[in-house]
């Protein structure tokens, strides 16, 4: 793990909220989450995946309400016209893999927002070269889910969406992104997953937002600029199932300012936003660096079955998360390494064999 | 038909072959055919330019963007139909009009009704129909059959087969757009039962004789239009063997690992296909490669796709079909075999639907 930061957070207590710094690196006394959680109604503590989306929503709702309460309070007061959730819905991977936001978590959040606000609700994502957003959301079961609250599914790659150019600049740097206006005019909550991207970065809230904007700069700068342009109200990090080198039922939710939650996620995956000093300096110059003080605003709560299990040691839980997720990476590509392809071609030429199509450039179905 | 086939064989350079559809499996067939000494690959067709480009790079002389044009334009003895299932019947009909034998990718058709029409068209035209059921050509399955028929475990009261992969949606990292037709029931005829289970039905009847479907259940793990999991309870009356079959396209696959498990539980022990696979794929592949290089030096025949047994099975299946056509024989896996597997799948679908209606049991999950 690189540069493991001290991660501080707020633990949700039953009936009250206690601002209590959690130092996962200094060996302070472990906390027993059993005594500090409001419960979720599950009778049988178990870490098994529950395929019933209604049961998962019911299990998530109390924890979402707890961990997202400052944001919910703020939205209740601010009374925005529209609230948009931006989940990690990039491809129809099964939610039990941790590779996408669990739609049940989005459903639970929509339900709470529907109860607590009068805002129009939306769930936004985008189509990619690989697959249309509509197809992804269909396969993940979003249409029936959003119908419960009347929320709208919005494909930000839709050409009909009005967009505006946003330029993030300072003395030395300028990054321009084209952002759907309705996102800029909406109260946005990102709901990313605790997983690595194809490129090995943390697929946090900023990168989830970055997929919704058009830009010509690199992924990190786009993520920063998209976040500044959209200015999300916060991030609800879905670590109910995380993905390290395999799925892990972490049964945890984190919430807070998007950059801070991202920093926490990066640390759990063994990434450090400060490891690249040049990049860190750039971000600092743009006013988007994540200060340690921001981390103390991240709230965390167990969710689902783990929340009811007795004797859960919170500090150990985070340490376990780090251990399980450190060095997270996706499975290796099917694409054969060029050197292997070259060697196979040489062998095939000498041995009179055919070259398997997998060693050719891919195409078609 | 045999003499008719013999008389049709064109030219001295071997069996004139066209390949209709050169997506993933079509490219395997194309490369297999290009490696066959007694086969002359005349042309390939595919609607997608990148697939045609790949075919040209592989060495095919001509490509077409429409398989019907290819069939009309080329003088062929046989054609490989590696198109999506909804085009199989039409492709066979067009081939029949041109007196061309066909080797059809599985499933033969989307339903037994469609298969009947397809086979009737072929019968009237006097063309042969082969079907690409490859499991029975895999060395591990051949090993199981050999052990079983040698009586090494005695009577086999129970057997199980599992075939899982990640289907059209794949796994991360996402490298290409998932095709739409495998998730379209109208286009594909069904889901993993027709995509994967159909292979299992074929290899089980090859092992145990006629099968009866006793019960079945299907399910989806995502909100997709076709099943991505199916479990079937079968009975082989001749051997008095009860069999469970499970297939699904929900599991991430990491090649060269292929999740195909066949176990025969006999009175004196177990026969497993795993015992007939190389313990170390890469070491086995290297050994095969060295053997092929040595064969080249000594002038003996090399094993096409030698280092990859599952591709080698496709080669063997097509090669056996071509040999049969060349010799005027019935294809070793013919249209009736393809239809028979479809019948078993259809019965399984019917029983699964009946089970859903009566809510007797739900073995698979939704979302």
């Amino acid at each position: 793990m690189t540069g493991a930061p001290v991660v501080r957070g707020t633990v949700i207590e039953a009936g009250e909220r206690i601002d209590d710094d959690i130092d996962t690196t200094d060996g302070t006394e472990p906390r027993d989450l059993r005594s500090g959680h409001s419960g979720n109604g599950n009778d049988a503590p178990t870490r098994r995946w529950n395929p019933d989306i209604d049961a998962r929503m019911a299990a998530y709702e109390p924890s979402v309400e707890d961990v997202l309460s400052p944001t919910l309070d703020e939205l209740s007061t601010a009374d925005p016209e529209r609230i948009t959730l931006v989940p990690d819905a990039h491809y129809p991977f099964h939610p039990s893999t941790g590779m996408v936001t669990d739609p049940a978590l989005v459903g639970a959040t929509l339900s709470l927002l529907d109860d607590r606000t009068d805002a129009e609700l939306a769930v936004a994502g985008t189509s990619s070269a690989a697959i249309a957003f509509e197809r992804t959301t269909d396969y993940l079961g979003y249409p029936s889910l959003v119908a419960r609250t009347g929320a709208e599914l919005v494909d930000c790659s839709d050409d009909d969406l009005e967009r505006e150019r946003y330029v993030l600049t300072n003395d030395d740097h300028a990054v321009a992104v084209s952002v759907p206006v309705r996102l800029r005019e909406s109260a946005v909550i990102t709901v990313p997953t605790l997983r690595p991207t194809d490129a090995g970065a943390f697929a946090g809230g900023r990168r989830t937002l970055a997929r919704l904007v058009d830009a010509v700069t690199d992924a990190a700068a786009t993520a920063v600029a998209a976040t500044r342009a959209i200015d999300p109200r916060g991030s609800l990090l879905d670590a109910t199932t995380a993905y390290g080198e395999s799925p892990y039922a972490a049964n945890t939710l984190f919430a807070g300012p998007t950059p801070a939650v991202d920093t926490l996620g990066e640390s759990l995956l063994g990434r450090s936003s400060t490891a690249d000093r040049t990049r860190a300096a750039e971000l600092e110059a743009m006013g988007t660096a994540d200060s340690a003080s921001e981390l103390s605003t991240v709230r965390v709560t167990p969710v689902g079955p783990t929340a009811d299990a007795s004797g859960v040691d919170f500090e150990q839980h985070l340490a376990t998360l780090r251990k399980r997720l450190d060095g997270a990476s996706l499975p290796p590509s099917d694409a054969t390494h060029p050197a292997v392809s070259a060697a196979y071609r040489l062998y095939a030429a000498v041995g009179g064999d055919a070259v398997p199509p997998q060693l050719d450039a891919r195409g078609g179905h | 038909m045999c003499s008719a086939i013999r008389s049709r064989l064109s030219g001295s350079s071997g069996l004139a072959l066209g390949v209709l559809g050169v997506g993933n499996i079509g490219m395997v067939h194309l490369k297999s055919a290009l490696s066959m000494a007694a086969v002359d690959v005349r042309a390939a067709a595919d609607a997608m330019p990148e697939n045609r480009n790949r075919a040209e790079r592989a060495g095919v002389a001509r490509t077409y963007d429409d398989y019907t044009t290819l069939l009309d334009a080329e003088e062929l003895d046989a054609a490989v139909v590696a198109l999506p299932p909804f085009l199989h019947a039409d492709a066979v009909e067009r081939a029949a009009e041109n007196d061309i034998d066909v080797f059809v990718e599985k499933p033969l058709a989307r339903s037994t009704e469609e298969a009947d029409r397809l086979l009737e068209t072929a019968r009237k035209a006097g063309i042969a129909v082969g079907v690409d059921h490859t499991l029975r050509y895999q060395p591990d399955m051949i090993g199981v059959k050999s052990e079983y028929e040698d009586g090494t475990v005695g009577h086999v009261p129970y057997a199980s087969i599992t075939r899982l992969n990640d289907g059209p949606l794949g796994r991360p990292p996402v490298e290409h757009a998932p095709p739409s037709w495998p998730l379209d029931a109208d286009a594909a005829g069904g889901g993993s039962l027709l995509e994967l289970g159909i292979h299992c039905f074929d290899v089980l009847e090859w092992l145990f004789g006629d099968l009866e479907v006793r019960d079945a259940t299907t399910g989806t793990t995502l909100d997709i239009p076709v099943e991505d999991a199916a479990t079937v309870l079968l009975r082989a009356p001749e051997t008095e063997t009860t069999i469970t079959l499970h297939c699904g396209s929900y599991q991430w696959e990491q090649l060269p690992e292929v999740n195909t498990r066949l176990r025969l539980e006999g009175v004196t022990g177990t026969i497993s296909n795993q015992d007939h696979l190389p313990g170390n794929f890469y070491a086995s592949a290297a050994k095969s490669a060295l053997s092929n290089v040595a064969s080249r030096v000594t002038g003996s025949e090399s094993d096409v796709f030698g280092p990859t047994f599952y591709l080698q099975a496709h080669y063997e299946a097509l090669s056996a079909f071509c040999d049969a056509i060349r010799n005027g024989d019935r294809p070793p896996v013919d249209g009736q075999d393809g239809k028979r597997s479809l019948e078993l799948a259809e019965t399984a679908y019917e029983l699964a639907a009946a089970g859903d209606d009566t809510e007797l049991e739900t073995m698979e999950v939704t979302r």
Side-chain angles (χ1 to χ4, degrees):
Chain A
M1 194 171 86
T2 52
V6 173
V7 179
R8 296 176 186 279
T10 301
V11 174
I12 308 304
E13 297 284 352
E16 61 177 341
R17 193 169 304 121
I18 300 173
D19 291 340
D20 188 359
D21 287 341
I22 306 299
D23 184 339
T24 61
T25 60
D26 66 1
T28 52
E29 205 60 31
R31 296 186 63 86
D32 180 351
L33 279 192
R34 170 72 173 178
S35 63
H37 184 67
S38 55
N40 61 22
N42 278 1
D43 294 324
T46 170
R47 291 163 64 84
R48 292 193 300 265
W49 172 259
N50 188 339
D52 185 328
I53 194 167
D54 292 311
R56 294 206 307 283
M57 280 180 62
Y60 293 161
E61 269 194 39
S63 299
V64 175
E65 188 163 24
D66 279 344
V67 79
L68 212 55
S69 61
T71 308
L72 291 170
D73 291 344
E74 179 197 331
L75 291 170
S76 297
T77 305
D79 192 24
E81 189 174 324
R82 181 184 293 128
I83 301 171
T84 302
L85 299 184
V86 182
D88 186 7
H90 61 111
Y91 194 83
F93 291 121
H94 197 275
S96 68
T97 64
M99 283 299 298
V100 293
T101 302
D102 185 352
L105 180 63
V106 177
T109 310
L110 286 172
S111 176
L112 286 167
L113 291 169
D114 193 39
D115 286 346
R116 299 277 295 269
T117 75
D118 294 324
E120 291 178 12
L121 301 176
V123 176
T126 191
S127 297
S128 68
I131 194 164
F133 182 61
E134 183 181 13
R135 207 169 159 208
T136 297
T137 51
D138 279 354
Y139 294 170
L140 289 174
Y142 274 95
S144 59
L145 196 67
V146 297
R148 302 178 189 206
T149 55
E152 181 185 3
L153 283 169
V154 180
D155 181 355
C156 290
S157 66
D158 187 340
D159 290 339
D160 293 337
L161 279 187
E162 186 186 356
R163 306 178 82 86
E164 66 183 20
R165 182 178 158 87
Y166 176 88
V167 181
L168 175 61
T169 183
N170 69 359
D171 291 344
D172 301 319
H173 305 89
V175 178
V177 292
S178 173
V179 187
V181 171
R182 64 173 295 156
L183 279 183
R184 293 256 289 157
E185 293 177 347
S186 180
V188 170
I189 300 172
T190 60
V191 195
T193 45
L194 186 50
R195 69 166 180 94
T197 65
D198 295 5
F202 166 55
R206 286 175 296 189
R207 282 189 163 79
T208 300
L209 288 177
R211 288 202 297 266
L212 309 189
V213 306
D214 293 331
V216 292
T217 187
D218 66 80
T222 301
V224 169
T227 307
R228 289 295 294 273
I230 296 169
D231 191 20
R233 300 299 174 95
S235 194
L236 173 62
L237 176 59
D238 178 5
T240 55
T241 303
Y243 190 91
E245 290 182 330
S246 59
Y248 174 59
N251 292 321
T252 306
L253 295 175
F254 300 91
T258 299
V261 173
D262 276 9
T263 300
L264 174 59
E266 285 165 356
S267 80
L268 291 173
L269 292 191
R271 271 70 166 172
S272 171
S273 59
T274 57
D276 181 344
R277 292 185 180 281
T278 304
R279 195 68 199 147
E282 273 185 20
L283 299 180
E284 181 72 45
M286 288 182 173
T288 56
D290 312 308
S291 67
S293 62
E294 279 185 303
L295 293 178
S296 66
T297 63
V298 176
R299 301 165 63 82
V300 56
T301 187
V303 65
T306 297
D308 276 356
S310 60
V312 175
D313 178 337
F314 177 73
E315 187 179 349
Q316 189 176 20
H317 181 59
L318 277 189
T320 301
L321 263 179
R322 280 207 174 85
K323 187 176 176 184
R324 291 292 296 257
L325 304 178
D326 188 23
S329 62
L330 298 185
S333 165
D334 266 343
T336 311
H337 191 281
V340 175
S341 294
Y344 202 106
R345 287 174 195 285
L346 179 61
Y347 145 71
V350 173
D353 199 354
V355 178
Q358 292 97 323
L359 303 187
D360 292 332
R362 301 295 289 266
H365 61 252
Chain B
M1 185 174 75
C2 299
S3 59
I5 291 170
R6 281 200 197 93
S7 68
R8 282 207 315 273
L9 285 180
S10 56
S12 57
S13 59
L15 190 79
L17 189 82
V19 181
L20 317 182
V22 279
N24 289 333
I25 194 62
M27 274 302 293
V28 173
H29 292 313
L30 175 62
K31 291 201 166 200
S32 295
L34 286 167
S35 303
M36 294 175 190
V39 171
D40 175 22
V41 181
R42 297 284 174 84
D46 200 290
M48 298 177 71
E50 60 267 37
N51 287 350
R52 295 198 296 276
N53 291 339
R54 279 204 307 163
E56 286 164 8
R57 286 199 301 274
V60 70
R62 288 176 297 282
T63 59
Y64 297 80
D65 62 4
D66 184 335
Y67 65 87
T68 61
T69 309
L70 183 154
L71 290 169
D72 291 340
E74 298 285 342
E75 284 288 323
L76 301 179
D77 298 313
V80 174
V81 180
L83 301 160
F86 68 94
L87 294 173
H88 286 185
D90 182 68
V92 171
E93 188 175 331
R94 299 298 184 123
E97 289 169 2
N98 290 281
D99 201 21
I100 297 168
D101 298 313
V102 287
F103 179 71
V104 185
E105 186 50 47
K106 57 78 201 168
L108 173 64
R110 292 171 292 176
S111 66
T112 53
E113 187 182 345
E114 189 173 59
D116 281 336
R117 289 200 305 273
L118 181 157
L119 293 175
E120 179 62 12
T121 300
R123 188 192 64 77
K124 285 180 178 172
I127 64 167
V129 177
V131 183
D132 186 28
H133 281 303
T134 49
L135 275 192
R136 60 165 88 178
Y137 289 95
Q138 286 189 187
D140 53 330
M141 298 298 168
I142 292 169
V144 168
K145 185 176 173 71
S146 175
E147 257 201 273
Y148 179 41
E149 292 182 348
D150 282 350
T152 59
V153 296
H155 170 52
V156 174
Y158 174 70
S160 62
I161 188 166
T162 302
R163 176 72 184 103
L164 297 171
N165 70 11
D166 49 23
L169 292 177
R171 60 163 176 85
V174 178
E175 288 171 332
H176 15 259
S180 55
W181 66 261
L183 293 166
D184 178 343
D186 288 338
S192 55
L193 196 57
L194 280 196
E195 170 65 19
L196 302 173
I198 204 94
H199 276 310
C200 301
F201 289 129
D202 177 71
V203 82
L204 289 172
E205 286 214 325
W206 178 64
L207 282 168
F208 297 108
D210 286 349
L211 299 175
E212 297 168 357
V213 179
R214 294 294 177 86
D215 204 353
T217 183
T218 60
T220 58
T221 58
L222 290 168
D223 272 15
I224 53 177
V226 294
E227 83 281 357
D228 65 5
T231 305
V232 184
L233 179 66
L234 298 142
R235 178 77 174 162
E238 182 184 331
T239 60
E240 296 189 2
T241 304
T242 298
I243 306 161
T244 51
L245 179 164
H246 179 72
C247 58
S249 44
Y250 56 81
Q251 187 178 71
W252 294 358
E253 185 174 67
Q254 180 70 60
L255 294 173
E257 294 299 322
V258 177
N259 194 347
T260 305
R261 314 271 167 174
L262 172 64
R263 284 177 67 92
L264 276 56
E265 304 296 351
V267 173
T268 66
T270 301
I271 303 172
S272 168
N273 74 314
Q274 299 300 298
D275 296 333
H276 295 275
L277 289 172
N280 183 316
F281 176 87
Y282 294 102
S284 171
K287 185 179 172 187
S288 175
L290 286 172
S291 171
N292 272 353
V293 172
S295 298
R296 190 67 175 268
V297 172
T298 59
S300 53
E301 276 194 24
S302 59
D303 291 331
V304 177
F305 295 133
T308 49
F309 69 88
Y310 43 90
L311 293 184
Q312 196 174 23
H314 286 286
Y315 173 89
E316 297 294 347
L318 180 58
S319 179
F321 168 80
C322 291
D323 284 347
I325 298 303
R326 198 177 294 109
N327 297 328
D329 295 334
R330 176 179 166 176
V333 185
D334 70 3
Q336 291 300 330
D337 295 317
K339 183 193 163 190
R340 174 64 186 152
S341 294
L342 273 173
E343 286 173 345
L344 294 168
E346 278 189 352
T347 305
Y349 277 127
E350 288 164 9
L351 288 168
D356 288 346
D357 289 345
T358 54
E359 297 182 353
L360 286 176
E361 62 176 348
T362 303
M363 292 175 68
E364 293 300 330
V365 298
T366 55
R367 280 199 301 281

